[in-house]
Amino acid sequence: MLPVDPENISTNPSSNEHFQDVVDRVVMNRRHVIKSGLGLSAAMFMGGALGGCAEETNTTNNTTTNTNNTTNNTVINNGGSGSAPDATISFEPIAISTDDDIKVPAGYAAAVLAPWGTPLIAGAPAWKNDLTEDSAAQEKQVGEHHDGMHYFEIPGIDGNSEGLLVVNHEYCDYPDFFAGFRAAGSAAFFADPTKWTADKAKKAQYAHGASVIHIKRDGSGKWDIVAGSTYNRRIHAATPMELTGPVVGHALVKTSADPDGKNVLGTFNNCGNGHTPWGTYLTCEENFNGYFGTLNSGTDNRNDNHKRYGIGNARSGYRWEDFEDRFDFNKEPNEPNRHGWIVEIDPLNPASKPQKRTALGRIKHENVAIAHAKNGRIVAYMGDDQAGDYVYKFISSGTFDKANPKATAHRKLLETGKLYVAKFNDGRFSGDFAGDGEWILLDVGTATTDGSTLGAKFNNSLAEILVNTRLAADAVGATKMDRPEWVTVHPVTQQAYLTLTNNSGRALADINDANPRAANRYGQIIRWSEKDSDPGSVENFKWDLFVLAGNPNVHGDLRAGSDNITTNNTFNSPDGLAFDADGRLWIQTDGAYTNAGDYLGQGNNQMLVADVHTKEIKRFLTGPKECEITGLAWTPDGKTLFINVQHPGESTGPAGSSWPSTTAGDFPRSATVVITKNDGGKIGL
């Protein structure tokens, strides 16, 4: 991780309204209950889940531990087709932990699978535990910093005992990636040509991207990699890929190496993910800007696009531009435009070429959640993970045939369609602490807030709008959000849930009625219902806050969180998010792990489970020291759960964590964790 998390630094210069302003107005509409300012209870703020979102509501009584008041929580049930799944949560929640290991509830077991450096491709060497592997070794080994992932069945094989696990590898942590880097320090390491070489830059490139991993259970039930499988594959920052959709061939994506603007080399900073009903994997390019720098920063030649996406007029942190011109934006100003997309991968076809789907927009994609519109079109929800950026929705032009889900024609569904950005409004319908919203089409004819059109600003070119997605969203007045991260869709109600991780950098002089949480250190989860429970609707949607994360161990005001946050489940910075098939909401965190100050009693990062009907939240898992918990995937029967542990020992390296090794001093390694229930039952029940 870089010293300053780039997602926390806004690059949005627009005057567009921030979502916090919307929330503040909602609070102001209730001034008669919040005259006490800081004394305002979280129960008053979040006691009513917005009945206005509901076509049908149920009421449950939840007693808040923050205020000892009882409040009625009206639960959204927006009438999706089919019966509500069994979302029972029956495990005994666990306590926080500051230990350097994985903890799960009684009756569950956790095992490590495929840590960084594990041999994957035939001929790969074993992990050395001294960081001296070269690029040739890394290209055949599992990549670093596991993130989003999905489990795929192999046709004709029992998917509950064998399948393909596709895992993202977000970035490299150089201090624990290159031998001697931590001891030398970055300046000395990069200045020494015997230490910083072209091969080391290639090694870092090969540690990015994604791994397709063929896994199988043995006779004892243990999962492991199928050695020598033809499915095993590494996709990385130097893998050839294709651009598809409206941007193909446009001048803004042409480079000296690709004058046709059709073929791209590599994918990197692969954060969250998605998957399609036709059986492909979607990997999301997030902080791509951090890989582009310049050897000549004397003159600032950056354009508005470069600045809006956060490219600095300096050397990059990864320093790949030292050896490859494509990473120097002064030499190849269009190369950054070829990154920041969603990439579709066919895990069942090792010879297939990954495809960058430009119709879905160019942002810092956290993840993508696929849903079905009632008219058969495919919907993709996406968040742009940076403080002050936006939420998007794509609707395909073509339709999906549920009777023939694996049809070849479906492979084109993400090539064309319409891209929308969200604007969140307050209280235009009945209900407390809620609002409605609208989807604004990003197309040439769309009006901008200054009386012009997107066409006038972007040369009447949809391709230019998509390359400049952030600038287009600025121009139409989209709502700034607190780092929109993972989005997921309820399997029955079709409600969308989105983590807004935090915005601790929001600086306000005073906390008052209009600004109940000035510096949002804890984050929240927002949810919305589309009109007629149809993800394909572009009419007004309705939103509320499902949970306001906080810490009642430290605070007694809104910073304590909403009334479903207690001293027993307190957490900060919700990040990964997914529903299982039964409708349980799994929440993963990537936040502060100091267990002190504002974060006292929150321990290491963790994973929790929520019942979206009662709003009850229980802690299920805690991770090792200084890690992030991320990635969620299940076998079809729901009896095996895969999650990822990213960057254990992030700040202190082997001095702070040796996970997954139990030998002190070993280098920490990201890895997948396999969770099963001792009685062989479904996870979560």
Side-chain angles (χ1 to χ4, degrees), residues 57-96:
T57 61
N58 299 315
T59 301
T60 60
N61 290 325
N62 282 354
T63 303
T64 173
T65 60
N66 295 340
T67 62
N68 297 320
N69 293 328
T70 301
T71 61
N72 290 325
N73 279 355
T74 305
V75 178
I76 300 173
N77 180 350
N78 64 358
S81 60
S83 302
D86 180 7
T88 302
I89 302 174
S90 58
F91 64 86
E92 189 66 26
I94 66 172
I96 68 160

Side-chain angles (χ1 to χ4, degrees), residues 215-235:
I215 58 174
K216 185 178 181 178
R217 300 181 78 157
D218 63 19
S220 66
K222 178 185 176 183
W223 289 88
D224 206 349
I225 296 175
V226 178
S229 171
T230 57
Y231 288 116
N232 291 342
R233 183 182 183 190
R234 282 304 327 280
I235 297 163

Side-chain angles (χ1 to χ4, degrees), residues 398-573:
T399 57
F400 176 76
D401 182 3
K402 291 185 178 181
N404 187 18
K406 306 301 182 184
T408 303
H410 293 152
R411 302 300 178 98
K412 300 288 187 180
L413 284 178
L414 300 183
E415 288 192 14
T416 59
K418 294 181 178 180
L419 183 65
Y420 299 81
V421 67
K423 183 176 181 182
F424 291 82
N425 306 309
D426 61 321
R428 287 198 242 165
F429 65 93
S430 176
D432 292 330
F433 309 122
D436 64 1
E438 56 193 285
W439 294 106
I440 305 173
L441 177 64
L442 298 180
D443 205 350
V444 292
T446 302
T448 57
T449 56
D450 62 0
S452 183
T453 65
L454 288 180
K457 291 180 179 295
F458 296 102
N459 295 313
N460 287 313
S461 168
L462 177 59
E464 286 200 25
I465 290 172
L466 293 170
V467 168
N468 295 281
T469 301
R470 280 185 167 183
L471 291 165
D474 293 345
V476 300
T479 303
K480 297 178 181 179
M481 308 294 283
D482 286 345
R483 289 188 55 189
E485 296 224 32
W486 288 59
V487 60
T488 187
V489 178
H490 192 282
V492 172
T493 68
Q494 297 299 294
Q495 243 176 13
Y497 287 66
L498 170 73
T499 51
L500 299 172
T501 290
N502 58 51
N503 189 359
S504 56
R506 184 190 298 118
L508 296 175
D510 300 298
I511 297 174
N512 52 46
D513 289 356
N515 297 286
R517 295 219 318 191
N520 182 8
R521 296 182 178 89
Y522 301 112
Q524 62 261 14
I525 298 175
I526 191 174
R527 61 181 173 180
W528 63 88
S529 298
E530 304 281 12
K531 182 176 173 59
D532 298 326
S533 304
D534 180 8
S537 172
V538 294
E539 298 185 47
N540 282 5
F541 60 86
K542 298 174 181 177
W543 64 266
D544 78 341
L545 296 181
F546 172 70
V547 61
L548 193 69
N551 194 346
N553 295 312
V554 179
H555 301 292
D557 50 52
L558 283 182
R559 293 169 294 178
S562 50
D563 64 347
N564 49 346
I565 295 298
T566 72
T567 56
N568 295 320
N569 67 9
T570 176
F571 65 93
N572 72 86
S573 303

